[in-house]
Amino acid sequence: MTAVTAQMIKSLRDRTGVGMIKCKNALVESGGDIEGAIALLRKAGIASAVKKESREAKEGAIDFVENANGIGIVQMNAETDFVVNNEKFREFLHVMAEEVAAGNVSTLEEFIAAPFTKESPKTIDEKRKEMISVLGENILISKMIFLKKESDVSYGIYSHMNGKIFTLVEIAGSSDEAGLAKEIAMHAAAEAPEYLSESEIPKEIKAQEEEIAKSRVPAGKPAEIVEKIVSGKMQAFYNDVCLVNQKYIKDNSTTIENLVNSRGKELGKELKVKGFYRLQIGA
């Protein structure tokens, strides 16, 4: 059993909005497991749905470079926002995105160890350490993504809050729908979906949500009523966390899936949201 600390209680309170005493009791009952404590609070009806655990807030920015071959995305962190807004930090971040966009590596570990092409044989990590001495703060390359472009796919990119939030949406079925893809990327920046569709949600997450939904049904209800209530709650959960299920932020009379289908009908093509990325500093 993990000892319950004041920091754990504060973290649980920050995530759920529940009082300190109830948070402490839930943590004790769950043996110090924060996710288990959240489930207990939700079953008791005193905590609403909670998204993934927020990580320690760090300053940073996300940048990208797009070329004919693909899209390179890099998230870089520093200790203060002052350094993040420094011109040298931003230049280095953009150069790192250029390096990723070259498409030579596929993982963060490979990227950090790779040669820095502008100053070979210096590596990316050696250049990073050099920037630490220049800027006077720890600099961390925390995420990188290389997305190789495909034919008949449109890419929409949106950067918000000076690079604090970055989204990218892929629409399959046409290479001419970058505008629509960007509109959906803007939606994703605001609505923060966690999954593309229901099929992408892990089984254990679904099982946990079903258990919580069942625990909230008043006792004594017939089995068929329980099933109907749980089904409704699960659908509401999918509509909240899945991009294609979400109501379009600019027109809540339609979902993202229906928005794309409608555009496809106009064009006489079958369009589909193929994937999305959403990065956010401090999340």
Side-chain angles (χ1 to χ4, degrees):
M1 177 182 290
T2 303
V4 175
T5 65
Q7 184 57 44
M8 291 166 65
I9 295 171
K10 182 180 182 301
S11 177
L12 183 58
R13 183 185 183 185
D14 289 343
R15 292 184 61 191
T16 63
V18 174
M20 299 287 272
I21 293 175
K22 289 180 179 178
C23 283
K24 180 180 179 181
N25 292 340
L27 282 164
V28 170
E29 186 176 347
S30 69
D33 177 16
I34 289 183
E35 296 300 328
I38 288 173
L40 287 170
L41 292 172
R42 290 182 62 196
K43 286 178 182 178
I46 54 177
S48 59
V50 181
K51 298 238 179 185
K52 291 179 179 177
E53 181 177 6
S54 56
R55 302 179 187 130
E56 179 184 359
K58 295 178 181 179
E59 300 302 334
I62 303 150
D63 200 359
F64 73 97
V65 167
E66 181 177 9
N67 58 36
N69 183 46
I71 303 168
I73 308 160
V74 172
Q75 176 176 321
M76 201 159 72
N77 295 92
E79 296 175 41
T80 66
D81 210 37
F82 177 78
V83 164
V84 170
N85 291 320
N86 181 283
E87 184 179 351
K88 292 185 183 299
F89 179 95
R90 293 287 175 158
E91 287 176 353
F92 181 52
L93 173 59
H94 192 72
V95 168
M96 291 298 98
E98 288 179 335
E99 293 281 328
V100 173
N104 297 323
V105 295
S106 57
T107 69
L108 180 60
E109 292 75 16
E110 290 175 347
F111 178 64
I112 290 172
F116 179 38
T117 58
K118 294 182 183 296
E119 298 180 25
S120 182
K122 185 181 295 181
T123 67
I124 295 292
D125 198 46
E126 287 171 340
K127 183 63 179 178
R128 179 188 68 85
K129 291 175 181 176
E130 181 181 302
M131 291 305 297
I132 291 174
S133 64
V134 170
L135 294 170
E137 285 189 9
N138 188 26
I139 306 297
L140 176 66
I141 301 171
S142 51
K143 293 178 185 176
M144 62 77 64
I145 297 168
F146 172 69
L147 182 63
K148 185 173 178 59
K149 287 186 174 179
E150 300 177 47
S151 60
D152 214 31
V153 175
S154 296
Y155 302 90
I157 298 171
Y158 180 63
S159 180
H160 186 53
M161 295 177 61
N162 198 26
K164 298 291 186 184
I165 298 175
F166 172 90
T167 51
L168 183 153
V169 168
E170 305 169 83
I171 294 181
S174 172
S175 59
D176 300 318
E177 291 302 310
L180 176 60
K182 184 173 182 178
E183 288 291 323
I184 298 173
M186 293 171 68
H187 165 97
E191 295 300 291
E194 296 183 37
Y195 308 96
L196 175 62
S197 62
E198 179 185 337
S199 63
E200 289 195 353
I201 302 176
K203 291 181 180 179
E204 59 271 20
I205 299 296
K206 289 183 179 180
Q208 177 179 291
E209 288 299 320
E210 286 179 0
E211 181 184 351
I212 291 169
K214 288 176 182 177
S215 72
R216 300 296 304 281
V217 178
K221 294 285 186 182
E224 62 272 16
I225 298 299
V226 172
E227 183 179 351
K228 186 175 182 180
I229 292 173
V230 171
S231 177
K233 288 183 179 294
M234 290 302 296
Q235 188 59 57
F237 169 67
Y238 300 145
N239 293 347
D240 181 47
V241 301
C242 298
L243 175 61
V244 296
N245 288 47
Q246 289 182 336
K247 296 289 188 181
Y248 181 35
I249 195 168
K250 291 187 176 181
D251 179 6
N252 63 14
S253 69
T254 189
T255 64
I256 294 299
E257 183 173 47
N258 288 339
L259 176 71
V260 174
N261 289 341
S262 177
R263 177 59 177 164
K265 288 179 181 177
E266 290 178 15
L267 300 173
K269 296 182 177 181
E270 184 179 350
L271 299 182
K272 182 179 181 181
V273 181
K274 180 177 182 288
F276 81 98
Y277 296 90
R278 187 183 188 280
L279 280 68
Q280 180 172 344
I281 300 300

